[in-house]
Amino acid sequence: MLAYLVIRDGTRWTDVFRLVPGQPVRVGRAPTNDIVITDERCSRNHAELLYRDGGWVLRDTDSRNGTYVGGKRIEGDYRLQPGDVIRIGQSLLAYVHDLATAFPDTQGLSRRVQHPAVNIHSHDTEDSFVFSEPEPTTITHRLGESSYLSEAQPSQRASQEAGTYLYQLAFQLAERLARAEQVESLCQHVLEWLFENVPAADAGAVLLLPRQALKEPQPQNLVVVAAKTRKGIKYHRVSSFLAEQVLREGTAMRAMNVLGDSTLSSRDSQGNLQASTVICSPVRYQGPVLGVIHLYATDPDRTLTDKDLDVTFAAAQTLAVALSNLEQLHHMAENLSRIKNENKLLRQRLGVESQIVGRSPVIRQITEQIARVAPTKSTVLIRGESGVGKELVARAIHFASPRRNKPFICLNCAALSESLLESELFGHERGAFTGATSRRLGKFELAHGGTLMLDEIGEMSPQLQAKFLRVLEGHPFERVGGSEPVHVDVRVIAATNRNLEKEVERGNFRRDLYFRLNVVEIYIPGLRKRPEDIPILAQHFLEKFNAELGRRIKGFTDEAMEAMLRYRWPGNVRELKNVIERACVLCEGDYIDVHNLALSRLSTAGETSELILHQPRGYVAMSLAEVERRHIEATLRATGWNKSQAAAILGIERSTLDRKIRRYNIQREHPLMKHS
């Protein structure tokens, strides 16, 4: 017995495939199949038909979306009967024995089932196939673009009065959408506007797709965001068939006699709900379909018109623009909130982890510089007198950077001789020099992935500066006494209290290294130049030493605070910290008084130099080295040879002071020798 598969293409059943006993037929999306269906819901090898026991059997070959006959998913082998309609994805294949019965007169075309078109490779025919189905949905009008949103002038569409009226409607809708701040309110405003301007609509809703479903929109993923009905009517969800058409084609549609799971107000004899006319419009504007607007009428005497379809499509496109703008606003608000939180956390981290204390404009500016430079890989040069907190700024940069979880290592270049400094920086191999009993990793290797701070960078010898520059340029280095190249990823932060520009002019500091270090410069002024920070720092150190020493000192007297504000603080923050610690130890009352403060009468480094150069005898010709020697000697005598205090006044490390004392052969006068 002859058997055929009649395949629907577009709005007509045109393709016929003859089934030959003994020749299995494979159906799927892959081009190697006998019947190729270019539908994304169709698997590559979806199903097959086999001839067995005098009839044809349909078998699903483990497809992803299943194979359906008569609306039911088949399992195992299904014996086909004449008139069975096979559905694979959105494609329909009718199984018949007699083509004459498959092609009746054209009067049956009005009962044709409307389903999406697919491209199927098979034989062609000019006839149309009709089979027995309940009264189907009939799409009467499709709209690809609303005339109300086209570039044509109102006079080209209607009279001037009609154009003015449409503009008024557009302004009303725009004004309502401008007030909305949430997606739900946007959709509700659109529905209310549509019910005012589409009087035949009895029920409607705005259904949107979740963000993750925009790439492959499916009717089952639509979510009802807003719904509205006339009095006494209950809203029913849009049919999967109509929603599928709108989502796939992106066009607005008006349909009649809608059946099934959707828009139904009255029930037919079989218990199905139905609506007289339905409008379904995509929510789309220059992008993917975001959802659909669904309106329907239940009164056969009051149907939705083509004009209503045009108005609904215009509202849907306007809603799409509003949704896109609202999403951008929310995205910008989220980014702004995130940036504010990050900025707040960064400032807290700078305050907690780096212990930077102060509210002066200078400190705020330094904090902002730290926040800008921390996320980068740029080399930073920190300048300032001794004791101003250069290491604290370096720590703040490290802890605010992506390297925060890696090591932070600090090395004072003035504290070591040239050979020891090279070993500390680059490490050494066993036997490299006397006492090198094992391999030792240098600070560069230990700081791999993190930050290395080099304090007193101006004290580094010219020979070591050359090797240091090569490492900064990204070249590998070798350990002292070794030949194996070592690669590291280290961010370098340099600090100095010297005038590097003058050192470059004198030839003591390499010009190329100066430019390599001075990528970003942060200058920290002395404490005397930001007196507004003195009370804050004093209170901070008071709380710190109260906790450490177990004291309960409440604060400072007015006289003590006034004295601290007048004082020049030659030792800067380091000196203030030591003064507060001593006062906490010696204070006997609840408040620190002025007599508890050990404030010296020493001048700052710059002021002491001026005193030497402005003696009553007038100008004395001398070299810079002699000026430095006399200045150091005068400072040592003024401090009673307290080297720590003298180094603080001079703005150098104590190790640097010891080296200069040896260089200038400065001797301490013995009291008996002076008396004699």
Side-chain angles (χ1 to χ4, degrees):
M1 181 179 295
L2 297 179
Y4 304 91
L5 284 180
V6 185
I7 307 164
R8 183 180 184 276
D9 183 5
T11 60
R12 306 176 67 187
W13 298 80
T14 58
D15 298 333
V16 178
F17 189 93
R18 181 177 177 182
L19 302 177
V20 180
Q23 296 182 9
V25 178
R26 295 172 298 173
V27 183
R29 188 160 43 88
T32 55
N33 289 286
D34 300 293
I35 299 178
V36 179
I37 301 177
T38 57
D39 187 335
E40 291 299 325
R41 293 189 177 187
C42 180
S43 300
R44 292 183 59 83
N45 299 295
H46 197 99
E48 62 180 357
L49 287 86
L50 307 172
Y51 187 78
R52 287 184 180 177
D53 301 330
W56 286 91
V57 174
L58 175 65
R59 176 186 299 168
D60 184 272
T61 54
D62 297 327
S63 65
R64 181 181 60 184
N65 295 314
T67 304
Y68 294 81
V69 177
K72 296 182 180 180
R73 184 168 182 169
I74 66 170
E75 296 181 0
D77 292 346
Y78 177 85
R79 180 169 291 274
L80 293 170
Q81 300 296 328
D84 282 343
V85 178
I86 305 169
R87 182 168 66 85
I88 296 177
Q90 294 299 316
S91 306
L92 299 179
L93 301 88
Y95 174 79
V96 296
H97 285 172
D98 186 1
L99 287 177
T101 62
F103 305 109
D105 55 21
T106 56
Q107 293 179 358
L109 292 178
S110 62
R111 302 183 59 213
R112 186 179 301 119
V113 176
Q114 305 294 319
H115 283 284
V118 295
N119 296 322
I120 304 176
H121 303 293
S122 181
H123 302 289
D124 292 332
T125 181
E126 295 300 327
D127 296 314
S128 298
F129 175 73
V130 178
F131 56 91
S132 177
E133 285 280 333
E135 186 68 20
T137 299
T138 302
I139 297 176
T140 61
H141 193 71
R142 298 172 186 262
L143 192 62
E145 181 181 358
S146 172
S147 62
Y148 295 134
L149 298 181
S150 67
E151 296 181 357
Q153 297 297 323
S155 58
Q156 295 176 305
R157 294 197 307 264
S159 64
Q160 185 65 32
E161 293 77 9
T164 304
Y165 173 70
L166 291 176
Y167 278 134
Q168 291 176 352
L169 294 181
F171 280 126
Q172 292 175 7
L173 180 58
E175 191 272 336
R176 295 185 186 185
L177 295 184
R179 295 199 308 263
E181 298 180 356
Q182 300 296 330
V183 173
E184 294 78 5
S185 57
L186 272 178
C187 298
Q188 195 64 42
H189 283 318
V190 170
L191 273 182
E192 293 175 355
W193 184 87
L194 282 172
F195 269 63
E196 294 173 3
N197 295 279
V198 184
D202 293 320
V206 177
L207 301 90
L208 299 181
L209 290 166
R211 184 187 301 272
Q212 61 273 15
L214 291 178
K215 291 185 177 180
E216 296 184 1
Q218 302 294 339
Q220 61 269 24
N221 295 330
L222 288 169
V223 178
V224 178
V225 179
K228 184 177 178 60
T229 62
R230 305 289 184 188
K231 185 176 181 181
I233 297 177
K234 180 180 179 182
Y235 171 74
H236 295 276
R237 185 182 175 90
V238 62
S239 68
S240 298
F241 160 64
L242 197 57
E244 172 76 20
Q245 292 256 18
V246 173
L247 291 176
R248 188 182 70 253
E249 299 181 11
T251 58
M253 300 181 182
R254 184 170 71 93
M256 300 177 63
N257 301 323
V258 178
L259 297 177
D261 54 331
S262 73
T263 55
L264 311 176
S265 61
S266 59
R267 296 183 179 272
D268 59 16
S269 58
Q270 298 178 353
N272 294 320
L273 296 171
Q274 62 181 6
S276 60
T277 50
V278 176
I279 287 177
C280 192
S281 172
V283 180
R284 174 186 58 84
Y285 184 78
Q286 297 181 349
V289 178
L290 306 178
V292 298
I293 291 181
H294 176 221
L295 298 177
Y296 62 88
T298 59
D299 187 354
D301 297 330
R302 297 175 65 242
T303 59
L304 300 173
T305 65
D306 292 346
K307 179 181 177 182
D308 296 333
L309 176 64
D310 206 352
V311 171
T312 304
F313 199 9
Q317 290 180 276
T318 306
L319 175 60
V321 176
L323 288 173
S324 177
N325 294 339
L326 186 62
E327 183 180 7
Q328 293 182 14
L329 288 175
H330 286 175
H331 184 66
M332 293 172 60
E334 291 174 359
N335 287 342
L336 181 60
S337 177
R338 177 178 54 81
I339 292 173
K340 287 182 178 180
N341 291 334
E342 290 178 356
N343 190 26
K344 182 178 179 180
L345 291 175
L346 179 60
R347 291 182 181 275
Q348 292 176 351
R349 178 174 293 169
L350 291 176
V352 174
E353 298 186 359
S354 66
Q355 299 180 355
I356 294 179
V357 179
R359 297 178 182 175
S360 64
V362 174
I363 292 297
R364 288 199 299 268
Q365 181 180 3
I366 292 174
T367 303
E368 292 174 358
Q369 286 181 293
I370 293 172
R372 286 194 297 268
V373 75
T376 69
K377 297 181 180 179
S378 303
T379 305
V380 181
L381 179 62
I382 305 175
R383 292 188 170 190
E385 300 174 8
S386 180
V388 294
K390 295 188 288 294
E391 183 176 345
L392 296 182
V393 173
R395 287 183 180 274
I397 295 174
H398 171 75
F399 286 115
S401 73
R403 301 172 180 261
R404 64 177 67 91
N405 296 323
K406 298 296 183 178
F408 174 81
I409 296 179
C410 184
L411 179 64
N412 192 326
C413 298
L416 301 170
S417 62
E418 180 181 349
S419 58
L420 288 179
L421 180 58
E422 183 179 12
S423 175
E424 283 291 323
L425 282 175
F426 307 109
H428 62 254
E429 299 287 351
R430 179 180 179 182
F433 50 83
T434 304
T437 58
S438 61
R439 171 189 286 184
R440 181 178 181 183
L441 301 182
K443 294 297 189 288
F444 268 107
E445 289 183 82
L446 295 175
H448 179 66
T451 305
L452 175 63
M453 178 191 175
L454 297 178
D455 199 5
E456 300 292 348
I457 191 69
E459 301 295 333
M460 185 180 291
S461 65
Q463 293 78 14
L464 197 55
Q465 291 176 23
K467 187 173 182 179
F468 175 55
L469 176 60
R470 282 188 56 82
V471 180
L472 282 182
E473 295 292 346
H475 298 284
F477 62 88
E478 299 173 354
R479 302 184 188 94
V480 178
S483 58
E484 178 183 355
V486 180
H487 296 265
V488 293
D489 174 23
V490 175
R491 181 182 192 172
V492 174
I493 299 178
T496 183
N497 59 6
R498 303 183 66 172
N499 190 327
L500 292 184
E501 289 80 4
K502 291 185 177 180
E503 295 298 322
V504 170
E505 294 175 359
R506 297 169 185 167
N508 297 331
F509 201 81
R510 293 178 63 98
R511 182 181 298 270
D512 48 3
L513 179 58
Y514 166 76
F515 289 116
R516 183 63 183 82
L517 290 175
N518 196 23
V519 177
V520 178
E521 179 180 307
I522 297 179
Y523 173 69
I524 309 175
L527 185 58
R528 63 185 176 277
K529 296 182 180 180
R530 45 189 178 97
E532 57 267 43
D533 288 335
I534 294 176
I536 301 173
L537 286 166
Q539 185 63 32
H540 170 75
F541 290 130
L542 175 62
E543 295 174 359
K544 171 182 172 63
F545 293 119
N546 268 341
E548 291 182 2
L549 302 174
R551 301 297 304 273
R552 296 183 178 179
I553 302 175
K554 298 180 180 179
F556 304 89
T557 63
D558 294 340
E559 292 78 7
M561 184 58 66
E562 184 178 354
M564 288 190 292
L565 291 173
R566 288 198 311 266
Y567 186 55
R568 298 287 292 171
W569 297 108
N572 293 296
V573 181
R574 182 185 292 119
E575 181 185 4
L576 175 61
K577 177 182 177 182
N578 295 335
V579 168
I580 300 301
E581 182 178 10
R582 178 184 182 277
C584 288
V585 172
L586 301 179
C587 180
E588 298 178 352
D590 294 335
Y591 293 89
I592 294 177
D593 202 354
V594 65
H595 66 271
N596 300 126
L597 303 175
L599 303 178
S600 68
R601 296 184 179 180
L602 299 175
S603 302
T604 63
E607 292 171 338
T608 308
S609 301
E610 291 177 1
L611 290 175
I612 295 176
L613 295 176
H614 292 83
Q615 296 293 334
R617 293 173 295 179
Y619 170 76
V620 178
M622 62 182 71
S623 64
L624 288 174
E626 180 63 19
V627 172
E628 186 179 39
R629 187 193 69 78
R630 291 191 180 190
H631 178 48
I632 293 174
E633 188 175 12
T635 305
L636 288 170
R637 286 199 304 268
T639 59
W641 273 77
N642 185 328
K643 294 183 180 179
S644 298
Q645 191 173 4
I649 295 173
L650 295 171
I652 59 177
E653 299 292 335
R654 176 166 175 169
S655 58
T656 305
L657 177 61
D658 289 334
R659 187 166 63 254
K660 292 182 181 296
I661 290 174
R662 292 193 298 269
R663 180 191 302 173
Y664 296 126
N665 194 23
I666 301 175
Q667 302 291 333
R668 181 177 185 179
E669 295 181 354
H670 195 277
L672 294 179
M673 294 176 61
K674 185 176 181 180
H675 179 72
S676 63

